């Protein structure tokens, strides 16, 4: 199990990643976090190898549900320039809070091949309450590791937001450190 520390403007969140149950998702997250996974800047279209998450915000926070980050545009519409399929493991559920999962737009059919594929990229969320209705729809690839980190997530869950669930004051992912 890989562990990371997400250093945020509100404190550190220690996360344990589920390497065995979601290997592709964990590889993608770690690659984007460290800069070893190539990504495309959504504004310039240029290929990048910088740590993707550094300086991004938690762009969507819904109290008593989840905190979401990983959009390079800060709008919930951006990603790394590619998509990949879900890795749903039935042994992992949203029965408890503090699960780390991929945010996505469901599945899409490729117009040229007709094949259905997932829409995971870079956006993720951390639940703040049990959310069993999400089971089978989002890849769970980690969890908050300790009580101190849960307090940081709870602090983020309580920030003031506007009608679009965007924090009134930015909450920043400063860096992600792989332990």
């Amino acid at each position: 199990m890989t562990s990371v520390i997400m250093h945020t403007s509100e404190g550190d969140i220690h996360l344990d990643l589920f390497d065995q149950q979601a290997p592709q998702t964990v590889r993608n997250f770690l690659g984007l976090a460290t800069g070893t996974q190539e990504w495309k800047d959504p504004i310039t279209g240029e290929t990048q190898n910088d740590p993707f998450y550094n300086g991004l915000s938690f762009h969507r926070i819904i109290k008593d549900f989840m905190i979401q980050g990983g959009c390079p545009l800060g709008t919930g519409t951006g990603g790394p320039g590619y998509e990949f399929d879900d890795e749903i493991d039935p042994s992992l559920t949203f029965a408890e809070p503090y699960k780390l999962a991929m945010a996505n737009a469901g599945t899409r059919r490729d117009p040229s091949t007709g094949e259905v594929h997932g829409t995971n990229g870079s956006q993720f969320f951390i639940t703040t309450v049990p959310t069993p209705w999400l089971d089978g729809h989002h890849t769970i690839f980690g969890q908050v590791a300790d009580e101190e980190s849960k307090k940081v997530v709870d602090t983020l869950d309580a920030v003031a937001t506007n009608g679009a669930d965007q924090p009134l004051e930015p909450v920043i992912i400063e860096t992600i450190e792989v332990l």
Side-chain angles (χ1 to χ4, degrees):
M1 183 179 298
T2 303
S3 294
V4 300
I5 301 172
M6 185 177 293
H7 300 285
T8 78
S9 56
E10 301 301 316
D12 291 346
I13 303 171
H14 292 243
L15 299 160
D16 290 329
L17 306 182
F18 300 141
D19 305 73
Q20 297 298 316
Q21 295 94 331
Q24 178 185 4
T25 307
V26 169
R27 256 191 324 277
N28 181 72
F29 182 78
L30 292 173
L32 289 172
T34 61
T36 59
Q37 172 66 44
E38 198 172 82
W39 55 277
K40 188 178 288 190
D41 185 299
I43 297 170
T44 67
E46 293 179 19
T47 301
Q48 302 285 322
N49 274 102
D50 299 326
F52 180 86
Y53 294 110
N54 292 3
L56 298 186
S57 66
F58 282 95
H59 62 273
R60 185 175 181 218
I61 296 177
I62 302 175
K63 180 152 181 56
D64 296 326
F65 177 35
M66 60 90 197
I67 61 174
Q68 183 173 336
C71 175
L73 300 173
T75 62
T77 61
Y82 58 84
E83 295 178 337
F84 61 94
D85 287 330
D86 291 323
E87 291 180 291
I88 305 296
D89 183 321
S91 71
L92 300 174
T93 70
F94 289 100
E96 301 291 325
Y98 306 109
K99 299 299 182 188
L100 174 66
M102 291 303 293
N104 62 47
T107 56
R108 293 194 178 133
R109 187 170 301 280
D110 184 312
S112 58
T113 66
E115 292 181 30
V116 175
H117 61 88
T119 56
N120 298 297
S122 58
Q123 293 190 45
F124 63 87
F125 62 93
I126 301 172
T127 60
T128 60
V129 297
T131 55
W133 62 90
L134 298 178
D135 289 343
H137 300 286
H138 297 272
T139 300
I140 299 171
F141 69 101
Q143 65 188 6
V144 178
D146 57 45
E147 293 305 314
E148 249 182 77
S149 298
K150 289 176 183 178
K151 287 179 185 173
V152 173
V153 171
D154 291 343
T155 297
L156 296 178
D157 185 53
V159 301
T161 58
N162 65 20
D165 302 314
Q166 297 168 323
L168 297 179
E169 296 292 323
V171 179
I172 304 299
I173 300 166
E174 294 168 347
T175 59
I176 297 177
E177 174 186 358
V178 181
L179 301 177

